[in-house]
């Protein structure tokens, strides 16, 4: 895997169009220490700051600038140095705080005391971690059904390479699926479709026919990620992004904060059409996609993602568990019945039937308790959590998120597709203005309905 770091030293502009630029970082994120500091718009400010690094013999591996979102009279500098410079960096950070007016934020995946783990600020930042995968998609375990099939392994590498080379904003490459792959999809599609009317939640059953109409969901056709991504964007702003392998929980959840869902594009091995040891396109398209087209569920998923940004590791684990028991294996009340909305259920013929029998234990969804529940990953779940509704689940996740120890509050700006850290009065005023604009629209509409 290419773990190369693009050297971008010295490409700073002092004034004018200061924009954040794309960078690739090495696979081993723990080898990078990053920091953002803000500087006043005055001659010599940057030189003075860079001098501090030079004095300590620190080689900057990456540097970029952008106008400050917090203060129009300042601009922000993002820098990365290698791990060897970590000690010296601490001294420079202290000097920056005392000698340069402005704020300093240390960002690190290698969590140290008093640092906030790095998180993406803008949707393009997803490119920075999308390839920080725990294993490449073509590396199969010995017990994988496709392990001894060289053709399948070559195919898996093709899919992994597509995802690895993908960047935000590009069109997701179309796949010419083989007859064998289509046959596997067809079996899964046909079987599961018989269960949806009785076992899937209302939202899933509402969206499914639309996916058949607009996105090519058919027994004899594997839909294309790009078509689905466009459809989701038009309905809830969610988008799909191909992924080359397993992401860490932190990165996967961070994608949700931007309404980005990392999706596989390959299909399970044809020898076991009703089984897959990992997510595949059947799981994503039949399980996840219909729910991401529902506004309430989309908002709920994004809440989990936003809660994860900059959260300490122990809370990431808790949020990943909440995600597991909702987005993957959630049940919800609908009238007097309980239905499935989790993708792990909606894409498994066996577990979709099992989850609504009296065999598993059903508990009310409560993030505090749900986040502590242990679960098996290779067998049917012994415990499921039942949500009152997506709205209710969303509110509960919000309250849970408020207990996460973070020194700041974040807000997602859908116009700029960016995360705003709300830590100064100007930002709060801007947010209040925007809410007051929405309230005025609401009042107007209510008046006209009288
Ligand atoms: Fe999933």
């Amino acid at each position: 895997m290419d773990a190369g770091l693009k050297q971008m030293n010295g490409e700073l502009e002092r004034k004018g169009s200061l924009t954040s630029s794309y960078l690739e970082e090495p696979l081993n994120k723990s080898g990078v220490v990053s920091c953002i500091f803000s500087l006043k718009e005055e001659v010599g400010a940057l030189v003075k700051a860079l001098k501090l690094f030079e004095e300590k013999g620190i080689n900057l591996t990456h540097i970029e600038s952008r106008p400050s979102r917090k203060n129009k009279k300042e601009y922000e500098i993002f820098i990365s140095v290698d791990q060897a410079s970590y000690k010296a960096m601490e001294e420079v950070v202290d000097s920056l705080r005392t000698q340069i007016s402005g704020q300093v934020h240390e960002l690190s995946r290698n969590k140290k005391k008093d640092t906030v783990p790095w998180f993406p600020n803008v949707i393009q930042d997803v490119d920075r971690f999308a390839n920080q995968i725990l294993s490449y998609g073509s590396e199969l375990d010995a017990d994988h059904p496709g392990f001894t099939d060289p053709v399948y392994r070559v195919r898996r590498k093709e899919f992994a390479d597509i995802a690895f080379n993908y960047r935000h904003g590009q069109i997701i490459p179309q796949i010419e699926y083989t007859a064998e792959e289509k046959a596997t999809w067809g079996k899964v599609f046909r079987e599961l479709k018989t269960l949806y009317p009785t076992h899937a939640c209302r939202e899933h059953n509402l969206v499914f026919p639309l996916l058949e109409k607009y996105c090519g969901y058919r027994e004899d056709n594997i839909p294309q990620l790009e078509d689905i991504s466009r459809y989701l964007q038009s309905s809830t702003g969610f988008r799909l992004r191909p992924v080359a392998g397993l992401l860490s929980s932190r990165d996967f959840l961070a994608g949700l904060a931007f309404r980005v869902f990392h999706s596989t594009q390959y299909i399970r091995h044809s020898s076991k059409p009703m089984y897959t040891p990992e997510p595949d396109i059947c799981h994503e398209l039949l399980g996840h996609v219909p729910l991401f087209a529902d506004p309430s569920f989309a908002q709920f998923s994004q809440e989990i993602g936003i809660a994860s940004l900059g959260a300490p590791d122990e809370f990431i684990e808790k949020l990943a568990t909440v995600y597991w028991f909702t987005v993957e294996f959630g049940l919800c009340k609908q009238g007097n019945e309980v239905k499935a909305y989790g993708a792990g259920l909606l894409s498994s013929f066996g577990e979709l039937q099992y989850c609504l029998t009296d065999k598993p234990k059903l508990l009310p969804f409560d993030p505090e308790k749900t986040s502590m529940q242990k679960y098996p990953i290779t067998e049917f779940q012994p415990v499921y959590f039942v949500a009152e509704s997506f709205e209710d689940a969303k509110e509960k996740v919000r309250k849970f998120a408020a207990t996460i120890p973070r020194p700041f509050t974040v807000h997602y700006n859908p116009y700029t597709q960016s995360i705003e850290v709300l830590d100064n009065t100007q930002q709060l005023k801007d947010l209040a203005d925007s809410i007051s604009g929405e309230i005025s629209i609401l009042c107007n509409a209510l008046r006209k309905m009288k």
Side-chain angles (χ1 to χ4, degrees):
M1 184 184 302
D2 175 18
L5 173 66
K6 282 186 184 167
Q7 298 281 336
M8 299 177 77
N9 291 348
E11 286 295 317
L12 269 177
E13 294 217 20
R14 178 65 181 79
K15 286 189 177 183
S17 57
L18 297 172
T19 54
S20 177
S21 52
Y22 164 74
L23 77 163
E24 275 186 20
E25 290 172 307
L27 176 64
N28 180 9
K29 293 293 289 193
S30 63
V32 178
V33 178
S34 302
C35 157
I36 291 177
F37 56 92
S38 54
L39 293 174
K40 285 214 170 108
E41 188 76 36
E42 60 190 28
V43 175
L46 180 59
V47 174
K48 197 172 156 194
L50 293 181
K51 192 95 183 136
L52 296 172
F53 291 93
E54 191 188 341
E55 282 167 0
K56 295 291 172 195
I58 295 176
N59 180 36
L60 304 183
T61 54
H62 178 91
I63 181 165
E64 66 182 72
S65 68
R66 66 182 178 203
S68 171
R69 296 197 184 98
K70 295 173 191 161
N71 185 335
K72 292 191 172 68
K73 292 182 181 153
E74 292 182 351
Y75 61 107
E76 293 172 348
I77 309 295
F78 174 94
I79 59 111
S80 292
V81 304
D82 59 36
Q83 185 77 29
S85 305
Y86 182 75
K87 269 274 148 228
M89 257 294 281
E90 284 185 326
E91 292 171 39
V92 174
V93 165
D94 285 343
S95 304
L96 281 169
R97 286 195 171 119
T98 52
Q99 296 179 34
I100 310 283
S101 50
Q103 299 187 9
V104 184
H105 294 288
E106 290 173 81
L107 304 161
S108 173
R109 294 202 173 207
N110 194 13
K111 211 172 153 322
K112 295 276 190 294
K113 193 171 162 284
D114 298 333
T115 63
V116 174
W118 178 87
F119 62 86
N121 277 125
V122 290
I123 197 166
Q124 289 82 355
D125 283 349
V126 173
D127 282 341
R128 293 187 183 183
F129 64 74
N131 286 336
Q132 308 289 319
I133 43 183
L134 304 176
S135 68
Y136 208 57
S138 53
E139 297 157 2
L140 305 182
D141 287 340
D143 57 355
H144 192 286
F147 183 72
T148 55
D149 180 346
V151 177
Y152 183 75
R153 296 182 70 129
V154 167
R155 187 72 168 144
R156 284 290 295 264
K157 183 161 185 324
E158 285 171 23
F159 284 105
D161 290 345
I162 287 173
F164 190 79
N165 291 309
Y166 181 80
R167 296 290 177 269
H168 172 73
Q170 291 176 350
I171 290 172
I172 305 170
Q174 298 268 314
I175 302 294
E176 189 79 47
Y177 287 101
T178 65
E180 190 181 2
E181 288 169 335
K182 285 188 207 165
T184 303
W185 161 269
K187 281 180 199 149
V188 181
F189 184 92
R190 191 169 54 242
E191 297 280 335
L192 282 168
K193 212 182 147 182
T194 61
L195 289 181
Y196 290 153
T198 47
H199 290 64
C201 65
R202 193 186 306 124
E203 292 77 3
H204 189 278
N205 281 320
L206 260 175
V207 172
F208 204 82
L210 299 173
L211 294 169
E212 290 180 305
K213 190 171 176 188
Y214 298 113
C215 296
Y217 273 54
R218 287 199 317 269
E219 195 177 319
D220 63 350
N221 179 58
I222 304 179
Q224 299 290 335
L225 293 191
E226 178 64 24
D227 296 340
I228 298 164
S229 190
R230 282 172 190 266
Y231 177 78
L232 288 178
Q233 283 174 61
S234 67
S235 47
T236 60
F238 247 93
R239 69 185 69 220
L240 301 181
R241 177 184 175 114
V243 64
L246 194 62
L247 288 170
S248 71
S249 297
R250 184 181 289 285
D251 291 342
F252 184 81
L253 294 175
L256 294 179
F258 295 86
R259 300 204 173 200
V260 172
F261 181 71
H262 288 86
S263 170
T264 55
Q265 205 171 13
Y266 59 82
I267 196 160
R268 59 194 68 187
H269 193 257
S270 59
S271 63
K272 286 194 171 177
M274 301 313 279
Y275 167 78
T276 175
E278 73 230 313
D280 74 335
I281 197 156
C282 299
H283 169 74
E284 323 285 24
L285 270 47
L286 299 171
H288 284 294
V289 164
L291 269 298
F292 284 131
D294 177 76
S296 214
F297 182 84
Q299 184 69 41
F300 167 73
S301 306
Q302 188 180 25
E303 290 292 338
I304 300 180
I306 290 175
S308 77
L309 301 176
D313 289 346
E314 58 271 29
F315 275 87
I316 292 294
E317 202 184 320
K318 287 182 178 185
L319 286 166
T321 306
V322 167
Y323 176 88
W324 177 270
F325 282 113
T326 54
V327 181
E328 290 295 347
F329 290 98
L331 296 178
C332 59
K333 282 190 190 166
Q334 299 206 311
N336 295 324
E337 294 180 297
V338 171
K339 301 283 184 180
Y341 71 89
L345 302 172
L346 293 165
S347 61
S348 162
F349 189 73
E351 191 159 359
L352 186 52
Q353 290 174 299
Y354 157 86
C355 71
L356 298 185
T357 64
D358 54 9
K359 286 179 193 144
K361 189 173 170 186
L362 304 192
L363 295 172
F365 175 63
D366 172 1
E368 197 84 20
K369 291 184 182 134
T370 306
S371 64
M372 305 295 285
Q373 179 70 44
K374 296 276 172 255
Y375 55 86
I377 53 168
T378 53
E379 54 196 72
F380 292 173
Q381 300 298 307
V383 175
Y384 296 103
F385 288 88
V386 184
E388 290 293 322
S389 65
F390 296 145
E391 289 300 318
D392 184 66
K394 189 169 70 189
E395 276 312 307
K396 285 180 172 153
V397 166
R398 268 192 194 147
K399 284 194 184 125
F400 179 67
T403 67
I404 296 175
R406 282 193 295 199
F408 50 82
T409 297
V410 293
H411 168 253
Y412 181 69
N413 183 333
Y415 304 114
T416 55
Q417 296 180 311
S418 64
I419 294 291
E420 294 169 349
V421 176
L422 300 176
D423 60 359
N424 69 62
T425 46
Q426 185 56 49
Q427 280 177 312
L428 299 183
K429 272 189 216 151
D430 291 346
L431 183 58
D433 280 348
S434 134
I435 294 169
S436 116
E438 299 283 318
I439 295 278
S440 132
I441 292 168
L442 181 63
C443 293
N444 262 335
L446 284 171
R447 266 196 293 276
K448 285 178 186 172
M449 283 171 75
K450 274 184 192 166

